Amino acid sequence: MEQTQDMGTDRQNPSVVIIGAGMTGIALAIKLKLSGITHITLLEKADSVGGTWRENTYPGVACDVPSHAYTYSFAPNPHWSSFFAPGREIRAYFQSVFDQYDLGNLTHFNEKVTRCNYQQEKWLVTTESGKNFSADFVFSATGFLHQPRYPDLPGLEDFAGAKMHSARWDHSVDLKGKKIGVIGTGSSATQMIPELINMEGTDVSVFQRTAQWIVHTENKPYSEKQKQRFQQDHSRIERVKNLSLYIFEQGTTALTSTSWFYKTLHKIFAWNAVRNLNKKVKDSELRKKLTPDYTFGCKRVVLNGAFYDAMQQPNAHLVTDKIDHISMTGIVTADGTHHDLDIIVMATGFDSTAYMRPIELTGRDGLTIEEAWRDKMIAYRSMCIPGFPNFFLTLGPNSPVGNYSVIAISERQADFAISLIKEWQKGNLPTIEVKKSAFYNWYSNLKDKLRTTVWASGCQSWYLDADGDPLTWPDSWKAWTRMMDTAAIEDFEKAAPTVINSSSSPQESYSLAES
Ligand code: NA7
């Protein structure tokens, strides 16, 4: 039987449903609580917190942003074990913050949201188990790299050995002494490959479709003394964090700015990556295969200090011939070679365009998200979509800011949404629904710039939508924060907006052509 949990309407303490108890969902719940909004329900599909850090448990998983910069601003952590923290430690950090802010009593685990429906000025959120939650506001905090992308390779189903996606690691598979094939050379693959190669008796074939730009990073552990100092004096943590973020900010600006200085910096970053490759990889044939043929930064730059060394071990093989098909016992490449394998690992990335889907999202007047996004996936300031009042998307289209720390982005988005909720509480907005004109203006200001960025310079990556337009922010971190900090109330409907009639075609009622 369906159970509806109607949390009532109280402008001073509205009811809020947050979907997902990962990094963003936890930040939202805390920031809402701190702002006095306590009527919160956190719905999590799995049995524990952590999002991507719960799901990615492959050997060597770590964050590619320095640990002190990948930390909530309100919960500094003097205990990080190393400059780049391993995945299990990051997950434990999120658990500890979740506990510290007592979010357990707001959270329903094992409740996978299947539907969100706006009716009579309320959202009805339905879970797979049949529960219904009624709320004034809904936040989608489902992350943007959460739906594994499996390669479409003939014969994959026939493979008789173990096979797994990097984000669905099967820890029951014994890797020792095995012939392992890794498909892909992105951030996940380059982290796991050195670990697999160092395991006893393994033989690892790496199937590379496109060579990566790799910036050398050292992952130094923090000594007990350093951790003690961090604990005694939090300004030390701030210094490490600010320096790390400054470097990432410069890197991001170098990918987007057309100024002479940043263009030169971009060249220096690229030169440095080439120098690293030349220094590390002695064999000219291997070096050639590992040399990218597209502009630095077009794909997400890989930060790694172990991959090149690992690929020169006798039990490592770099295969650059195209995969033709999978047999029962291995991978067959286009040159006809059969690569015998016991295990296939698909480090083939994620569907970065899934956002809140497969949740069925239906806004005002029956408008579905599929109709709203029929022409293009756009969200005003990456968060708000006309026809979807009181609904906030986090880490939506155009919110990755280069390689910058995504925690800082989530926190800023939470602040922006809360500032709008405050206006609604004061009665300045009937509902929080972005005007179509503001939505179109916002994207048209980005559109041209997006097409001139390095991400649109001719490579394939998870940064691009189906039209080949980047889903990133096409400017610097500073420009992004300026945009997010600018008051926006005039961009929202002050009176009940015109009906988005589901009987008229969505193209007519809601189309990019209006921009
Ligand atoms: P990525 O960065 O999307 O990398 C996926 C890799 O898999 C990449 O090398 C792809 O090659 C390769 N790939 C994908 N499909 C195939 C097929 N069919 N055949 C051969 N190779 C394939 O995912 P990650 O998990 O490594 O990283 C995702 C993000 O997580 C990362 O950017 C960080 O932000 C954290 P391609 O380059 O497309 O030719």
Side-chain angles (χ1 to χ4, degrees), residues 327-487:
S327 75
M328 273 178 76
T329 52
I331 292 181
V332 182
T333 42
D335 62 343
T337 309
H338 186 277
H339 304 263
D340 262 355
L341 298 170
D342 302 310
I343 299 165
I344 294 179
V345 176
M346 294 164 278
T348 44
F350 302 86
D351 176 3
S352 61
T353 62
Y355 298 110
M356 77 297 278
R357 286 147 324 164
I359 294 170
E360 286 172 38
L361 179 67
T362 308
R364 195 163 51 75
D365 308 318
L367 180 75
T368 67
I369 191 65
E370 306 307 331
E371 288 165 342
W373 278 357
R374 200 169 85 167
D375 290 340
K376 195 97 179 150
M377 284 172 298
I378 307 174
Y380 165 88
R381 299 199 186 189
S382 308
M383 297 192 80
C384 305
I385 309 160
F388 296 82
N390 295 0
F391 178 87
F392 294 103
L393 175 59
T394 60
L395 302 180
N398 306 106
S399 59
V401 184
N403 277 44
Y404 204 82
S405 173
V406 83
I407 288 199
I409 297 168
S410 290
E411 282 198 35
R412 221 53 176 229
Q413 292 187 336
D415 294 343
F416 177 67
I418 291 168
S419 73
L420 288 169
I421 295 176
K422 295 274 171 214
E423 296 296 339
W424 174 84
Q425 287 179 312
K426 287 185 223 154
N428 294 336
L429 294 170
T431 56
I432 301 177
E433 180 169 354
V434 67
K435 289 178 187 163
K436 277 206 238 172
S437 54
F439 166 85
Y440 293 126
N441 282 343
W442 186 80
Y443 192 70
S444 59
N445 285 336
L446 295 195
K447 206 164 56 182
D448 293 340
K449 184 132 208 242
L450 280 167
R451 289 179 181 165
T452 64
T453 60
V454 67
W455 302 300
S457 64
C459 71
Q460 264 308 316
S461 80
W462 63 259
Y463 283 146
L464 303 178
D465 70 10
D467 303 325
D469 288 325
L471 288 160
T472 42
W473 170 250
D475 209 327
S476 63
W477 167 251
K478 276 206 175 69
W480 188 80
T481 53
R482 254 197 320 273
M483 181 265 302
M484 290 304 282
D485 290 348
T486 310

Side-chain angles (χ1 to χ4, degrees), residues 52-53 56 58 62 64 144-145 149-153 165-167 182-191 207-212 294 299-302 322-323 346-350 403 460-463:
T52 198
W53 303 105
N56 284 274
Y58 59 80
D64 60 2
F144 63 97
L145 294 177
R149 194 191 282 279
Y150 290 87
D152 185 15
L153 294 168
H165 189 276
S166 55
V182 178
I183 304 177
T185 50
S187 300
S188 303
T190 51
Q191 286 181 347
F207 294 83
Q208 173 187 277
R209 191 164 65 179
T210 315
Q212 298 283 341
Y294 53 92
K299 286 173 183 288
R300 185 176 169 99
V301 173
V302 173
K322 191 171 177 286
I323 298 174
M346 294 164 278
T348 44
F350 302 86
N403 277 44
Q460 264 308 316
S461 80
W462 63 259
Y463 283 146

